[in-house]
Every structure is written in C-alpha cells, then in structure tokens.
Amino acid sequence: MGADLSALNLADDLAEVRTTEDAARWEITLPNPLEVLVALSPASATSERFQARLLWSTYPAEPPSLKFRDPATGGLDRPEAWPKVRGFRPGSLDACVNYTAEGFALHPEWRTDPRYRWETRGNVLLMVLRTLQDELDHHFTGRHP
C-alpha cells in the first residue's frame, strides 16, 4: 500500500473519529499525513494531560509507533511525558503492547498469535485511541518521574 493511499485511509478514519462521542475527550491534530497527535487525560486525573504521537509507516496495515511528546518542546525523548500504565516503558521510551510498532518489534511472535496479532478491520485509529484511553482510565498510576 502506498503512502498516498495510507494517508487517505487515515484521513477518512480521522474524520469518522471526530464524529464519535469519545472525541469530546481528545484534542487531535494531524501534523503530517501519517502522524496523529492526541492529547488525553485519565478519568481519575483530568488535570493530567498527555500528548501521544502516533506515527504510521502504512495505515492501517501496520501498527503505529507510539511516543509521548513534551508539548512545551515537541521532544519525544522525555520519560516525564509518559503516563504510568500497563506495558508502557518510559525509561525505554516505548510501549510493550500489541497496538504499537514497538510492541511488535519486541515480540515478533505476536504477528502470528491470534490473541495478540494486529487487527486491521474497522477504524484502526479509533481502536488505538480507545485502547489508549481505556489504559489511562483504568490503569493509570501517575506520571513517570
């Protein structure tokens, strides 16, 4: 799948995401055709804002790279920008989860395991955003120091 088709697919899914009830909780921008920035907060700590950067190489065929961005500097290299939730490794600046490119790089066996493999049906962007929000809402234990 070419970059142009990936960008069109992501733009279509983003337009749909913006019509959902969930979108009221998020601030979403598309700085580049395959890059999404989304600001999210845990339900238990709405004053805590985290800005996730999702970057796709191919949308929706591959999972996105997930990083948390320092909104003040734009830096992706700050562990303090990361929330503490299951599978997130702020010290390594990655997430060992089955909805990120980093998770699949750490666990290539997930690609063929029906419990973990990347799912491309439906609105993939919405699935990733809802998964991130669910992690923050149910497993958030603070900001990485």
Short mmCIF file of all heavy atoms in Angstrom, two decimals, residues 27-72:
data_model
loop_
_atom_site.label_atom_id
_atom_site.label_comp_id
_atom_site.label_asym_id
_atom_site.label_seq_id
_atom_site.Cartn_x
_atom_site.Cartn_y
_atom_site.Cartn_z
N GLU A 27 -8.00 16.00 22.07
CA GLU A 27 -7.58 17.06 21.15
C GLU A 27 -6.70 16.38 20.12
O GLU A 27 -5.62 15.90 20.45
CB GLU A 27 -6.80 18.14 21.88
CG GLU A 27 -7.61 18.95 22.87
CD GLU A 27 -6.75 19.90 23.66
OE1 GLU A 27 -5.71 20.38 23.14
OE2 GLU A 27 -7.09 20.15 24.83
N ILE A 28 -7.18 16.33 18.88
CA ILE A 28 -6.49 15.57 17.83
C ILE A 28 -6.03 16.51 16.73
O ILE A 28 -6.80 17.34 16.25
CB ILE A 28 -7.41 14.50 17.23
CG1 ILE A 28 -7.97 13.57 18.31
CG2 ILE A 28 -6.68 13.70 16.16
CD1 ILE A 28 -9.05 12.64 17.82
N THR A 29 -4.76 16.36 16.34
CA THR A 29 -4.24 17.08 15.17
C THR A 29 -3.51 16.10 14.27
O THR A 29 -3.06 15.03 14.72
CB THR A 29 -3.30 18.23 15.58
OG1 THR A 29 -2.21 17.69 16.32
CG2 THR A 29 -4.01 19.28 16.40
N LEU A 30 -3.38 16.48 13.03
CA LEU A 30 -2.69 15.68 12.02
C LEU A 30 -1.58 16.54 11.42
O LEU A 30 -1.78 17.19 10.40
CB LEU A 30 -3.70 15.24 10.95
CG LEU A 30 -3.26 14.21 9.93
CD1 LEU A 30 -3.10 12.84 10.58
CD2 LEU A 30 -4.27 14.13 8.80
N PRO A 31 -0.40 16.59 12.08
CA PRO A 31 0.66 17.48 11.60
C PRO A 31 1.29 17.01 10.29
O PRO A 31 1.84 17.82 9.55
CB PRO A 31 1.68 17.48 12.73
CG PRO A 31 1.40 16.26 13.52
CD PRO A 31 -0.04 15.92 13.32
N ASN A 32 1.22 15.72 10.02
CA ASN A 32 1.74 15.12 8.79
C ASN A 32 0.77 14.04 8.36
O ASN A 32 -0.01 13.54 9.17
CB ASN A 32 3.14 14.53 9.03
CG ASN A 32 4.17 15.62 9.32
OD1 ASN A 32 4.43 16.48 8.49
ND2 ASN A 32 4.72 15.60 10.52
N PRO A 33 0.80 13.64 7.10
CA PRO A 33 -0.22 12.72 6.58
C PRO A 33 -0.37 11.40 7.35
O PRO A 33 -1.46 10.85 7.40
CB PRO A 33 0.22 12.47 5.14
CG PRO A 33 0.99 13.69 4.76
CD PRO A 33 1.69 14.12 6.03
N LEU A 34 0.69 10.89 7.96
CA LEU A 34 0.61 9.62 8.70
C LEU A 34 0.96 9.78 10.18
O LEU A 34 1.30 8.82 10.86
CB LEU A 34 1.50 8.56 8.04
CG LEU A 34 1.08 8.14 6.64
CD1 LEU A 34 2.10 7.18 6.02
CD2 LEU A 34 -0.30 7.51 6.65
N GLU A 35 0.86 11.00 10.68
CA GLU A 35 1.19 11.31 12.08
C GLU A 35 -0.02 11.95 12.76
O GLU A 35 -0.57 12.94 12.26
CB GLU A 35 2.37 12.26 12.14
CG GLU A 35 2.80 12.62 13.54
CD GLU A 35 3.96 13.60 13.56
OE1 GLU A 35 4.12 14.39 12.60
OE2 GLU A 35 4.71 13.57 14.54
N VAL A 36 -0.40 11.38 13.90
CA VAL A 36 -1.51 11.90 14.69
C VAL A 36 -0.98 12.29 16.06
O VAL A 36 -0.27 11.50 16.70
CB VAL A 36 -2.63 10.84 14.83
CG1 VAL A 36 -3.72 11.32 15.79
CG2 VAL A 36 -3.22 10.48 13.48
N LEU A 37 -1.33 13.50 16.50
CA LEU A 37 -1.06 13.92 17.87
C LEU A 37 -2.40 13.96 18.57
O LEU A 37 -3.36 14.53 18.04
CB LEU A 37 -0.41 15.29 17.92
CG LEU A 37 0.95 15.45 17.26
CD1 LEU A 37 1.43 16.90 17.37
CD2 LEU A 37 1.97 14.50 17.88
N VAL A 38 -2.46 13.36 19.75
CA VAL A 38 -3.71 13.36 20.51
C VAL A 38 -3.40 13.64 21.97
O VAL A 38 -2.52 13.03 22.55
CB VAL A 38 -4.50 12.05 20.33
CG1 VAL A 38 -3.70 10.84 20.78
CG2 VAL A 38 -5.82 12.10 21.09
N ALA A 39 -4.11 14.60 22.54
CA ALA A 39 -3.99 14.91 23.97
C ALA A 39 -5.10 14.15 24.69
O ALA A 39 -6.26 14.21 24.28
CB ALA A 39 -4.10 16.40 24.21
N LEU A 40 -4.71 13.42 25.73
CA LEU A 40 -5.64 12.60 26.50
C LEU A 40 -5.40 12.83 27.99
O LEU A 40 -4.30 13.19 28.39
CB LEU A 40 -5.41 11.11 26.25
CG LEU A 40 -5.25 10.56 24.86
CD1 LEU A 40 -3.80 10.36 24.53
CD2 LEU A 40 -5.98 9.25 24.75
N SER A 41 -6.44 12.55 28.76
CA SER A 41 -6.35 12.62 30.22
C SER A 41 -7.01 11.39 30.82
O SER A 41 -8.03 10.93 30.31
CB SER A 41 -7.08 13.85 30.77
OG SER A 41 -6.44 15.02 30.37
N PRO A 42 -6.46 10.88 31.93
CA PRO A 42 -7.14 9.79 32.63
C PRO A 42 -8.42 10.30 33.30
O PRO A 42 -8.46 11.45 33.74
CB PRO A 42 -6.14 9.34 33.68
CG PRO A 42 -4.91 10.16 33.49
CD PRO A 42 -5.20 11.25 32.54
N ALA A 43 -9.42 9.46 33.37
CA ALA A 43 -10.68 9.84 34.02
C ALA A 43 -10.46 10.22 35.48
O ALA A 43 -11.13 11.12 36.00
CB ALA A 43 -11.70 8.71 33.91
N SER A 44 -9.49 9.58 36.13
CA SER A 44 -9.24 9.83 37.55
C SER A 44 -8.37 11.06 37.81
O SER A 44 -8.20 11.47 38.96
CB SER A 44 -8.55 8.61 38.17
OG SER A 44 -7.28 8.42 37.56
N ALA A 45 -7.80 11.63 36.75
CA ALA A 45 -6.90 12.79 36.91
C ALA A 45 -7.00 13.67 35.67
O ALA A 45 -6.08 13.76 34.88
CB ALA A 45 -5.46 12.31 37.13
N THR A 46 -8.14 14.32 35.53
CA THR A 46 -8.39 15.09 34.31
C THR A 46 -7.45 16.28 34.13
O THR A 46 -7.31 16.79 33.02
CB THR A 46 -9.86 15.57 34.25
OG1 THR A 46 -10.14 16.32 35.43
CG2 THR A 46 -10.81 14.39 34.14
N SER A 47 -6.78 16.70 35.19
CA SER A 47 -5.82 17.79 35.06
C SER A 47 -4.49 17.30 34.46
O SER A 47 -3.68 18.12 34.03
CB SER A 47 -5.57 18.46 36.41
OG SER A 47 -4.99 17.54 37.30
N GLU A 48 -4.27 16.01 34.45
CA GLU A 48 -3.07 15.43 33.82
C GLU A 48 -3.33 15.31 32.32
O GLU A 48 -4.28 14.65 31.91
CB GLU A 48 -2.77 14.05 34.39
CG GLU A 48 -2.15 14.06 35.75
CD GLU A 48 -0.66 14.35 35.72
OE1 GLU A 48 -0.10 14.74 34.67
OE2 GLU A 48 -0.04 14.18 36.77
N ARG A 49 -2.51 15.95 31.50
CA ARG A 49 -2.65 15.86 30.04
C ARG A 49 -1.41 15.18 29.49
O ARG A 49 -0.28 15.54 29.84
CB ARG A 49 -2.80 17.23 29.41
CG ARG A 49 -4.03 17.98 29.82
CD ARG A 49 -5.31 17.39 29.31
NE ARG A 49 -5.52 17.71 27.91
CZ ARG A 49 -6.50 17.21 27.20
NH1 ARG A 49 -7.33 16.36 27.72
NH2 ARG A 49 -6.65 17.55 25.94
N PHE A 50 -1.64 14.23 28.62
CA PHE A 50 -0.56 13.53 27.93
C PHE A 50 -0.78 13.68 26.44
O PHE A 50 -1.91 13.59 25.96
CB PHE A 50 -0.56 12.04 28.31
CG PHE A 50 -0.27 11.81 29.76
CD1 PHE A 50 -1.31 11.65 30.67
CD2 PHE A 50 1.03 11.78 30.23
CE1 PHE A 50 -1.06 11.46 32.01
CE2 PHE A 50 1.30 11.59 31.58
CZ PHE A 50 0.25 11.43 32.47
N GLN A 51 0.29 13.94 25.72
CA GLN A 51 0.18 14.07 24.28
C GLN A 51 0.86 12.88 23.62
O GLN A 51 2.09 12.76 23.63
CB GLN A 51 0.78 15.37 23.77
CG GLN A 51 0.46 15.61 22.30
CD GLN A 51 0.96 16.94 21.81
OE1 GLN A 51 2.16 17.17 21.77
NE2 GLN A 51 0.04 17.82 21.43
N ALA A 52 0.04 11.99 23.07
CA ALA A 52 0.55 10.82 22.37
C ALA A 52 0.82 11.20 20.92
O ALA A 52 0.06 11.93 20.30
CB ALA A 52 -0.45 9.68 22.43
N ARG A 53 1.93 10.69 20.39
CA ARG A 53 2.24 10.83 18.98
C ARG A 53 2.15 9.43 18.37
O ARG A 53 2.85 8.51 18.77
CB ARG A 53 3.65 11.38 18.79
CG ARG A 53 3.97 11.90 17.38
CD ARG A 53 4.50 10.94 16.33
NE ARG A 53 5.34 9.87 16.75
CZ ARG A 53 6.63 9.73 16.43
NH1 ARG A 53 7.26 10.64 15.75
NH2 ARG A 53 7.28 8.66 16.82
N LEU A 54 1.24 9.27 17.42
CA LEU A 54 1.08 8.02 16.69
C LEU A 54 1.61 8.25 15.28
O LEU A 54 1.17 9.18 14.60
CB LEU A 54 -0.39 7.61 16.63
CG LEU A 54 -1.07 7.42 17.98
CD1 LEU A 54 -2.58 7.34 17.80
CD2 LEU A 54 -0.54 6.17 18.66
N LEU A 55 2.54 7.41 14.85
CA LEU A 55 3.15 7.56 13.52
C LEU A 55 3.08 6.24 12.79
O LEU A 55 3.63 5.24 13.26
CB LEU A 55 4.59 8.03 13.65
CG LEU A 55 5.34 8.26 12.34
CD1 LEU A 55 4.70 9.40 11.54
CD2 LEU A 55 6.81 8.55 12.62
N TRP A 56 2.39 6.23 11.67
CA TRP A 56 2.24 5.01 10.87
C TRP A 56 3.23 5.01 9.72
O TRP A 56 3.48 6.05 9.10
CB TRP A 56 0.83 4.94 10.29
CG TRP A 56 -0.15 4.29 11.19
CD1 TRP A 56 -0.46 2.96 11.24
CD2 TRP A 56 -0.99 4.91 12.17
NE1 TRP A 56 -1.42 2.73 12.21
CE2 TRP A 56 -1.77 3.91 12.78
CE3 TRP A 56 -1.16 6.23 12.59
CZ2 TRP A 56 -2.69 4.18 13.78
CZ3 TRP A 56 -2.06 6.51 13.59
CH2 TRP A 56 -2.83 5.49 14.17
N SER A 57 3.74 3.83 9.40
CA SER A 57 4.50 3.64 8.17
C SER A 57 3.53 3.27 7.06
O SER A 57 3.66 3.73 5.92
CB SER A 57 5.58 2.57 8.32
OG SER A 57 4.98 1.33 8.66
N THR A 58 2.54 2.45 7.40
CA THR A 58 1.49 2.03 6.48
C THR A 58 0.19 1.93 7.27
O THR A 58 0.12 1.19 8.24
CB THR A 58 1.82 0.65 5.86
OG1 THR A 58 3.11 0.69 5.27
CG2 THR A 58 0.80 0.28 4.78
N TYR A 59 -0.80 2.68 6.84
CA TYR A 59 -2.09 2.69 7.55
C TYR A 59 -3.14 2.04 6.66
O TYR A 59 -3.27 2.42 5.51
CB TYR A 59 -2.52 4.12 7.88
CG TYR A 59 -3.79 4.16 8.68
CD1 TYR A 59 -3.75 4.12 10.06
CD2 TYR A 59 -5.04 4.18 8.07
CE1 TYR A 59 -4.92 4.13 10.82
CE2 TYR A 59 -6.21 4.18 8.81
CZ TYR A 59 -6.14 4.15 10.17
OH TYR A 59 -7.29 4.14 10.92
N PRO A 60 -3.90 1.10 7.18
CA PRO A 60 -3.94 0.57 8.54
C PRO A 60 -3.19 -0.75 8.70
O PRO A 60 -3.33 -1.40 9.73
CB PRO A 60 -5.44 0.34 8.74
CG PRO A 60 -5.91 -0.12 7.39
CD PRO A 60 -5.08 0.66 6.40
N ALA A 61 -2.40 -1.14 7.71
CA ALA A 61 -1.81 -2.48 7.69
C ALA A 61 -0.82 -2.75 8.82
O ALA A 61 -0.66 -3.89 9.24
CB ALA A 61 -1.12 -2.73 6.35
N GLU A 62 -0.16 -1.70 9.32
CA GLU A 62 0.84 -1.87 10.37
C GLU A 62 0.45 -1.05 11.59
O GLU A 62 -0.17 0.01 11.45
CB GLU A 62 2.22 -1.43 9.88
CG GLU A 62 2.77 -2.27 8.74
CD GLU A 62 3.07 -3.70 9.14
OE1 GLU A 62 3.43 -3.94 10.32
OE2 GLU A 62 2.94 -4.59 8.28
N PRO A 63 0.85 -1.49 12.79
CA PRO A 63 0.57 -0.68 13.99
C PRO A 63 1.43 0.58 14.00
O PRO A 63 2.50 0.62 13.38
CB PRO A 63 0.94 -1.61 15.14
CG PRO A 63 1.91 -2.58 14.57
CD PRO A 63 1.55 -2.74 13.12
N PRO A 64 0.98 1.60 14.68
CA PRO A 64 1.75 2.84 14.74
C PRO A 64 2.87 2.78 15.76
O PRO A 64 2.81 2.03 16.73
CB PRO A 64 0.72 3.87 15.19
CG PRO A 64 -0.18 3.06 16.10
CD PRO A 64 -0.27 1.70 15.45
N SER A 65 3.86 3.61 15.54
CA SER A 65 4.83 3.89 16.59
C SER A 65 4.12 4.80 17.59
O SER A 65 3.40 5.71 17.20
CB SER A 65 6.04 4.61 16.00
OG SER A 65 6.87 5.10 17.04
N LEU A 66 4.31 4.52 18.87
CA LEU A 66 3.71 5.34 19.93
C LEU A 66 4.82 5.97 20.75
O LEU A 66 5.70 5.28 21.27
CB LEU A 66 2.82 4.50 20.84
CG LEU A 66 2.35 5.17 22.14
CD1 LEU A 66 1.40 6.33 21.84
CD2 LEU A 66 1.68 4.15 23.06
N LYS A 67 4.77 7.28 20.84
CA LYS A 67 5.66 8.04 21.72
C LYS A 67 4.80 9.07 22.43
O LYS A 67 3.74 9.48 21.94
CB LYS A 67 6.75 8.77 20.92
CG LYS A 67 7.66 7.87 20.12
CD LYS A 67 8.58 7.07 20.98
CE LYS A 67 9.51 6.20 20.13
NZ LYS A 67 10.21 5.24 20.94
N PHE A 68 5.27 9.52 23.58
CA PHE A 68 4.60 10.62 24.25
C PHE A 68 5.48 11.85 24.11
O PHE A 68 6.69 11.79 24.27
CB PHE A 68 4.28 10.28 25.71
CG PHE A 68 3.08 9.41 25.81
CD1 PHE A 68 3.20 8.04 25.71
CD2 PHE A 68 1.81 9.96 25.93
CE1 PHE A 68 2.09 7.21 25.75
CE2 PHE A 68 0.68 9.14 25.96
CZ PHE A 68 0.83 7.77 25.87
N ARG A 69 4.85 12.93 23.76
CA ARG A 69 5.52 14.16 23.36
C ARG A 69 5.45 15.20 24.47
O ARG A 69 4.41 15.35 25.11
CB ARG A 69 4.80 14.67 22.11
CG ARG A 69 5.39 15.82 21.41
CD ARG A 69 4.60 16.04 20.09
NE ARG A 69 5.08 17.20 19.40
CZ ARG A 69 4.59 18.42 19.54
NH1 ARG A 69 3.57 18.65 20.35
NH2 ARG A 69 5.10 19.42 18.86
N ASP A 70 6.54 15.88 24.67
CA ASP A 70 6.56 17.02 25.58
C ASP A 70 5.95 18.20 24.82
O ASP A 70 6.56 18.69 23.85
CB ASP A 70 7.99 17.34 26.00
CG ASP A 70 8.10 18.52 26.93
OD1 ASP A 70 7.16 19.34 26.98
OD2 ASP A 70 9.13 18.63 27.60
N PRO A 71 4.74 18.63 25.17
CA PRO A 71 4.09 19.69 24.41
C PRO A 71 4.87 21.01 24.39
O PRO A 71 4.78 21.76 23.43
CB PRO A 71 2.74 19.88 25.10
CG PRO A 71 2.54 18.67 25.92
CD PRO A 71 3.90 18.15 26.25
N ALA A 72 5.65 21.27 25.43
CA ALA A 72 6.40 22.53 25.50
C ALA A 72 7.54 22.56 24.50
O ALA A 72 7.82 23.61 23.91
CB ALA A 72 6.93 22.75 26.92
#
